Structure formats: structure tokens, C-alpha cells
Amino acid sequence: MSDVEIEITADLVRDLLREQHPDLAGLAVREVVGGWGNQMWRLGDGLAVRMPRTAGAPDLLRKECRWLPALAPRLPLPVPNPVRIGEPSARFPKPWAIMTWVPGEPLDHTSISRGDHAADTLAAFLTALHVEAPEDAPISEDRGDHPKKCTDGFDHFFHAVVLDDLADEVRAVWDDAVAAPEWEGPPLWVHGDLHPANVVVSDGMLSGVIDFDAVFAGDPALDLAAAWVILPAGATSRFFDAYAQADEGTIRRARGLAAMKSLFLMLMGQNGDRGLPGGKPTWGPAGRAALDRVLRGQVI
């Protein structure tokens, strides 16, 4: 079956549970709105079922399930952890997974009210994650490059969404990142996709990180872009003081990548407002707010 022909429904999820994990089949199944490569369903109170719905999602899900059990124990925030693996079958010809559920509301639907706490929390999380990765750690083929290798993507987003009165400022941030030195350290573990839909908030506090299917070994600058993309205004300097292991070149790369990520979020929001496939209406305001922080919250 093609992706288009597979309709992922609550009945399908229940059938797969009865076939492969019958001890969990009695738990309530509720759809979770959102997601990109995977469609997610709550399973009871503490679990979630992730069902791949795009061509590349199965391999990414297997990667996530391979490495998260090794990473999760040392991370100071809740993250999803695989507890069962669903195998391809006649009912659903792709792997799927049962993960722990991370409580909270995605940041693109809420806000962080405690900026200092969030800065310290994110810094502690990334300090714990950004350690040297083993030789067999995955590398990324589509993200994590130095900004100078990402100019086509940046230009696409830039011309699609930047307002004329911001164009020069945004371009200056990007040009500075392109001119920054390359990462010369060993490949570090990197989440790879930190943005408002992939972190959760509880009571105004950053309380969890989700969606590790992009995880790879490389330059930590991509994750450090979250200092502008995720944290509220005024928290960036505190974050880098707490993180305390980013040199000037890394911060410059991170700020440029934050600008590009902001533009991407704005474009996805624009597409959502127009009803286009893959569009995310809630990402637009989050992206514009992040871009404002990039332009106003310079660290160096």
C-alpha cells in the first residue's frame, strides 16, 4: 500500500495492539493532533503510539528507538522512551512504536512565563546531551551543516517570508554566521530539531523535549539556535552563561541557524494559513517571535 492508501485510525491502532501487544489493547486510544512524519495516539495515561505516515519516517523511528534508551537516562528533562516496538504486518506494513508520554503542552500552543528557569533548564539539558558521540552514532544528511552550506535553503525561506523592513537585518545575521569558523571539536550528540512544537511546557515552565527522530552526531550549533527559537525574550544571555561551553564562532553559527529556523517556522505558518499541505498555522506566530529575538537578542 502507498502512504496515501493507509488511513491511520483508532480502530487500526487497537487492532495492531491486539495482534502484537494484547496486554496493552485495553487502554484508551485517543488521537493527538499535530505531528509531521508520524501520527501519534495517546495510549492510556502514560504511553503514546507513534505511527509513521511519510516515506522516510520508518527509518527515522527505528533510529530514535535505537538511540533514545542510551541517551534518556542522563537527560534532566522528560523525553519519550520506547517501551515496545511494533513490527510491519499485513494490517500496517511499517514499523511503529509505543513510547512513554511526556506531559505538557507544545510551546507553539502556549508560552513560557519563567524565562530564567527555562534558560537554566535548557542549558542543563543541552549540556547533558552534548557529549562526544560514539563512532557508530548516526550522522545527518539533511541538517547540521555549517551555514555556508545551507545558503540555498536560507535564500528560499528568506524570499518567501521576510518583510522588506527586516531584510537587511536578517541578511546581516546570516552573513555573519556564514563567515563564522567551522566546528573543530569531535561530533557531539545533537537533538537536531529543537523548535516550539518539539518542546513541552507545564505551568509556564519548560518541562520536556520530544521528537528525537532527527538525532545525530555533529556540530552543537544547530541545537544552540534554540536559545532564540524557544526561549522567551531576555533569556538568551543567561542561557549561554549557564551552558558555558560555546565559543564565539559557535554562537555566531547558532544565531544564523536560528534566523533560518525562524523563517522556516514562518513559512510553515504561512502555508497553514493558506490551507496548504503540511502547513502549521501555530508555527507562524512562533517563528515571527523567534525572529524578533534573533534580531534583538544578540549575545556577542
Side-chain angles (χ1 to χ4, degrees):
M1 287 190 292
S2 69
D3 289 346
V4 175
E5 293 170 330
I6 300 173
E7 182 181 4
I8 303 173
T9 65
D11 286 341
L12 172 61
V13 173
R14 293 188 189 97
D15 288 346
L16 292 174
L17 289 169
R18 281 192 288 266
E19 290 175 3
Q20 298 191 31
H21 303 283
D23 59 314
L24 301 178
L27 297 175
V29 174
R30 292 163 287 165
E31 184 175 5
V32 178
V33 177
W36 190 278
N38 296 282
Q39 186 168 342
M40 190 156 63
W41 300 77
R42 288 287 301 272
L43 181 61
D45 293 329
L47 299 173
V49 179
R50 294 186 71 189
M51 307 284 289
R53 59 183 175 189
T54 61
D59 288 342
L60 296 177
L61 184 64
R62 287 194 183 279
K63 178 181 69 169
E64 190 173 7
C65 291
R66 160 70 176 86
W67 291 104
L68 261 177
L71 296 173
R74 70 164 185 268
L75 299 178
L77 280 175
V79 300
N81 221 344
V83 296
R84 304 281 182 90
I85 303 298
E87 296 299 333
S89 66
R91 293 284 285 119
F92 189 73
K94 299 178 182 181
W96 48 284
I98 302 172
M99 319 279 283
T100 55
W101 174 256
V102 179
E105 189 172 7
L107 180 57
D108 61 320
H109 288 273
T110 186
S111 62
I112 292 172
S113 59
R114 296 181 57 185
D116 287 351
H117 178 275
D120 293 343
T121 300
L122 182 63
F125 177 84
L126 291 181
T127 298
L129 176 62
H130 290 169
V131 301
E132 186 170 353
E135 290 185 2
D136 60 341
I139 59 174
S140 178
E141 297 180 354
D142 63 351
R143 66 185 73 205
D145 283 334
H146 188 283
K148 66 186 178 184
K149 299 179 181 178
C150 304
T151 54
D152 288 346
F154 174 83
D155 286 343
H156 171 69
F157 303 143
F158 180 84
H159 293 298
V161 301
V162 167
L163 303 177
D164 290 341
D165 60 340
L166 298 178
D168 290 344
E169 292 181 78
V170 175
R171 177 64 69 177
V173 170
W174 181 252
D175 288 346
D176 182 65
V178 168
E182 297 198 27
W183 172 251
E184 295 182 350
L188 305 184
W189 278 117
V190 177
H191 177 281
D193 199 21
L194 289 176
H195 62 74
N198 284 344
V199 298
V200 297
V201 174
S202 300
D203 299 323
M205 296 183 291
L206 183 63
S207 60
V209 178
I210 60 176
D211 201 349
F212 280 74
D213 62 9
V215 68
F216 68 94
D219 179 359
L222 183 60
D223 279 358
L224 298 178
W228 294 274
V229 175
I230 289 174
L231 296 179
T236 305
S237 292
R238 182 179 179 116
F239 165 81
F240 280 108
D241 287 344
Y243 182 77
Q245 58 192 50
D247 59 21
E248 178 180 330
T250 300
I251 294 173
R252 289 166 61 194
R253 294 192 307 278
R255 188 172 178 229
L257 292 168
M260 183 168 71
K261 177 74 80 172
S262 300
L263 297 177
F264 167 74
L265 293 171
M266 291 169 67
L267 179 57
M268 291 300 99
Q270 184 174 287
N271 290 346
D273 292 340
R274 295 173 177 173
L276 299 177
K280 304 286 185 180
T282 59
W283 290 16
R288 180 53 194 265
L291 186 64
D292 287 344
R293 293 191 292 268
V294 169
L295 299 179
R296 311 284 178 256
Q298 187 171 0
V299 177
I300 55 175

